[in-house]
Amino acid sequence: MQPPTGRLKLNVDEAFKITADVAGGGGILRDHKGICMLAFAKNYQGVISALDVEARTLRDGFMICCSKGFLDIIVETDSLNLVHVVTGHTPRPWELTCIIQKVAEITQKLKAQIKHVHREANQAAHSLAGHGCTTEHFSFLDSGAGLPHVVKGPYRLDKVGYPTFRP
């Protein structure tokens, strides 16, 4: 679902494979027409859980939005646990205190609303997170033109409102 006119939507997700010691995060910011304003993917080292990766990805997405002047955003994630921790409905794990505090600090600068969505509504961000697992450097795109091949399909389907399914 697209955000209302004048607002932007940031979808974030993580990919965490503890057995392979690989973690990645990704996010995509879109306008009310579904057009990609920016996207990012990052490999995260030394993480302890999927929630850790999800929180770091949210923090990085917020930081990028602030640096680009995008302050009125709706955030969607398929991590209900993250939503509960960030909104204060669940106590934050002590090991994530610094990251969650940074998220709260940036949230005060933003006019942000965080919402839970089902996995099917977060496929483009999930594909970016998977790409983050395979990249050595922070990958930033300032439009949808350079999206990795694995992200283009989910992005196009989401843009027209057609959910995709993960295996």
Side-chain angles (χ1 to χ4, degrees):
M1 183 158 72
Q2 308 306 342
T5 302
R7 291 199 84 185
L8 300 172
K9 181 176 75 166
L10 174 67
N11 285 80
V12 294
D13 202 6
E14 56 76 28
F16 181 62
K17 301 167 185 154
I18 193 165
T19 55
D21 195 30
V22 174
I28 184 167
L29 183 73
R30 290 172 277 200
D31 69 8
H32 66 280
K33 294 179 181 176
I35 296 170
C36 178
M37 306 296 290
L38 64 85
F40 69 96
K42 184 175 181 180
N43 185 295
Y44 291 96
Q45 301 292 318
V47 295
I48 56 171
S49 67
L51 181 59
D52 184 5
V53 183
E54 197 89 42
R56 290 171 190 256
T57 304
L58 177 60
R59 177 202 60 202
D60 292 346
F62 274 177
M63 289 172 65
I64 293 167
C65 287
C66 278
S67 72
K68 297 292 184 183
F70 300 128
L71 305 178
D72 190 3
I73 60 173
I74 297 168
V75 179
E76 292 182 344
T77 175
D78 59 17
S79 172
L80 187 56
N81 196 11
L82 179 67
V83 172
H84 286 169
V85 168
V86 170
T87 59
H89 290 96
T90 300
R92 63 180 168 229
W94 68 267
E95 63 272 10
L96 299 181
T97 296
C98 291
I99 296 167
I100 300 300
Q101 282 180 331
K102 185 67 175 178
V103 167
E105 177 187 313
I106 297 169
T107 301
Q108 291 177 359
K109 296 177 186 176
L110 298 173
K111 185 178 172 184
Q113 172 189 13
I114 186 166
K115 298 171 22 173
H116 175 259
V117 293
H118 294 285
R119 291 169 51 146
E120 294 78 17
N122 212 31
Q123 185 63 31
H126 181 75
S127 297
L128 282 161
H131 178 68
C133 287
T134 65
T135 186
E136 290 185 28
H137 305 286
F138 183 79
S139 177
F140 176 79
L141 306 158
D142 58 4
S143 74
L147 287 172
H149 182 70
V150 296
V151 181
K152 287 181 181 181
Y155 166 68
R156 287 183 187 127
L157 290 172
D158 191 49
K159 189 174 173 183
V160 297
Y162 191 82
T164 55
F165 297 94
R166 296 190 223 173

